[in-house]
Amino acid sequence: MADIVFTKVDFTMGALMDSIALGTVGLPDLQRPFVWKNTKVRNLFDSMFRGFPVGYFLFWENANVEGSRAIGTDGKQKIPNMLIVDGQQRLTSLYAVIRGVPVVRDDYQSELIEIAFNPVLEKFEVLDAAIRKDKSYVPNISVIWSKDADLFDLVDQYLGDLKTVRDVSDEETKSIRKAFSKLQNLLSFPFTTLALSATIDEEQVSEIFVRINSAGKSLNQADFILTLMSVFWDEGRAQLEEFCRYSLIPAKGPSPFNHFIEPGPDQLLRVSVGLGFRRARLQYVYSILRGKDLETGQFSAERRESQFELLKQAQARVINLTYWHDFLKAIQQAGFRSGRMISSENNLVFAYILYLLGRTEYGVDEFALRGLIARWFFMTALTGRYSSSPESKMEFDLARLRELKDADAFVAVLVDICNATLTNDYWSVTLPSDLATASANSPSMYAFFAALNLLEARVLFSKHKVAELLDPTTKSNKSALERHHLFPKGHLKTLGITDTRETNQIANFTMIEWGDNGEISDTTPTKYVPLLSKRFDETELAEMQYWHALPDNWQDMPYQDFLRKRRERMAIVIRDAYKKLAGDATTSGKLPLLPVTKLVAEGEGTNIEFKSTLRINLHTRQKDSKMELAVLKTVAAFLNMSGGTLVIGVADDGEPVGIEADEFPSEDNMNLHLVNLIKERMGTSSMMYVHPRFDDYHDARVMVLDCVPSKAPVFVKDSALERFYVRTGAATSELTASQTQDFIKQRFSH
């Protein structure tokens, strides 16, 4: 016969309530959120009154009771020898009503559960305004069991009140007295409990719970762990609850309130365990709280107290408001603005563990640490690193930190994990594939929005930056930003595309102001794009095209081709934002604006070149497309390399020629001609990397093109061919097809 791991223990309700009050049965403090509806509590008392069975309780005998003491200054009268595993809400309901103490709801608002009783009809109801006025009801049955209550006085008072509204017969009086007595005698209602042996482990307790629970639901680790905290360290549990409560409430003074997460006590406890013990699995909390050696499985009062001391020190850091808000600044630095942009709170919880380790254990410089955690969070949020099997993955990550000794080693491990995750193949293959989804909660979509923040992008067809309109502190009747279908659903319907998995593809969404979204409605992009584009100049449009990952002439593309091309460009935008976050200078998009005199003094080189004209051949005095091609080749080469400056109107020897030689009516005309050339032969998106300006050089006016490194390869159309150019010293060189492929792989794939 198998060993029996439980014993049967019988209680009356009165004895059970006394055991809880004394502390020998561990029930979490009633300041823990209570989820049962009051109607369910009413039904529980009605069933007991009728003598119906109401189920049993499952307890777990507490190991190492003898000689134990509670941690903290608010200890119970005794250390519990039984901890509630199943039936906690039922037991809380009974205790709250019998003892007349309030519970706290999910929103941390205190509530007294008031169940009314009609002795005439022997009927229970949840108290409301109408019942409160009804003299046939006892408004709150808790008075029946009050320690100062006298049943005879309660009955006489009830009968007196009832007789003010109607006559009461002798037979009714007798029946009413009997009902009152029956209600009070619920303290003798029998309960059966099954007490699991202290020798079984946490996994066995969980398995038993699942097997005997008719709903087949998993054991709520958080409830059980917080039960243990209430048993051994009620102060610590109260601190967690208070932190969580105030994180919901905006406050004028110091407060944990924020726009990213409304943490639960179990989440903060997970951070404490990760910080104090380098462990991610919540199951380890059982062992820590019960004094169990993780290696030998043996219990010890001394070990419990030493482990509690570590836990207390860790928790003090976890709920430190300075650390908390400095950490949240790192999340902002990663481009995220609110919890609405975060698909998994696990990423936040685990990032907080790493932040606290870096700051309080390894002494990483705060400025560097914020950048590192921002980079880490962006990586984990983008890849959904902790979306599935989060504890296993974080346990693996924390295990790599257990033997580290200093800040440099800590930083190196996190950077190595980021680099090993975000490889060239990830950016070019995996991420575009991940973007092929219609999931409204896709990590890659939120990462794209964060990337727009990092790149200081403006909303499509708007002068406002994305970050401004994502500000969570701004409240209005209408959302400032809306997800806009670039190919509206009504338009797609005319093309025969109606499946929401197609119309709601991530690649068909971008951010737009709600007013523009309403104006566009179901208009085809070939109509609304030219109309809204009139608000901006060519450079602004080119920037928007890059930021919002729009292919050239996207509005004219077949829908599926558009989706495929845009996913590739979205991956590039996300990659560029991450590289900027990681400190890659090539993503800054800025070059120092040097005066022409200094440029000429430095002379032509890898990043500086002079051209006498844009379009006029000075030998023939005629317009010559070869002159235009020479300018485009140089610009493309600068964009494909590390940037550079082209000065038009200066000869190779540095002598001024002036833009007058190109015979444009005005500088605006010359600028427009250049913009059109670049758009037609290099692509509209190239314009965001080219910044034209006019300047004086001696007695002449010259045109200066400041070029920053492009985020994608730039080709130059030459009749039917597309050519690829780079700088080789002071010259511009064309690469062969194989050379181009190798160069792009090295320059643009990481």
Side-chain angles (χ1 to χ4, degrees), residues 573-674:
V573 171
I574 296 171
R575 181 204 66 191
D576 289 347
Y578 174 76
K579 289 173 69 176
K580 179 179 180 181
L581 196 59
D584 188 334
T586 62
T587 64
S588 65
K590 297 178 181 178
L591 281 178
L593 301 182
L594 300 177
V596 177
T597 51
K598 187 169 183 179
L599 290 168
V600 174
E602 288 190 17
E604 292 187 311
T606 304
N607 301 107
I608 299 174
E609 184 160 329
F610 309 140
K611 296 292 182 186
S612 297
T613 62
L614 172 60
R615 66 177 182 178
I616 296 294
N617 186 320
L618 293 180
H619 296 291
T620 64
R621 310 304 303 180
Q622 300 294 318
K623 296 177 183 177
D624 189 339
S625 61
K626 292 180 180 178
M627 302 296 105
E628 294 174 336
L629 178 59
V631 169
L632 295 178
K633 286 164 57 176
T634 301
V635 171
F638 283 151
L639 300 187
N640 286 326
M641 298 289 286
S642 57
T645 303
L646 172 63
V647 184
I648 300 173
V650 175
D652 291 344
D653 60 4
E655 288 298 312
V657 176
I659 58 175
E660 293 80 4
D662 271 308
E663 301 177 0
F664 286 102
S666 67
E667 291 179 359
D668 286 343
N669 286 109
M670 184 175 186
N671 184 68
L672 181 60
H673 183 77
L674 173 73

Side-chain angles (χ1 to χ4, degrees), residues 324-376:
W324 174 247
H325 287 293
D326 283 350
F327 161 70
L328 294 176
K329 290 174 185 174
I331 306 304
Q332 282 187 304
Q333 191 171 324
F336 294 82
R337 289 293 178 269
S338 71
R340 295 195 310 171
M341 296 178 65
I342 296 172
S343 60
S344 171
E345 289 185 348
N346 287 331
N347 295 324
L348 269 175
V349 170
F350 292 144
Y352 191 32
I353 294 174
L354 295 176
Y355 173 83
L356 289 173
L357 284 171
R359 179 162 180 167
T360 66
E361 296 286 331
Y362 297 107
V364 181
D365 172 73
E366 174 63 17
F367 180 83
L369 180 62
R370 282 192 203 172
L372 177 66
I373 297 302
R375 179 177 177 182
W376 173 271

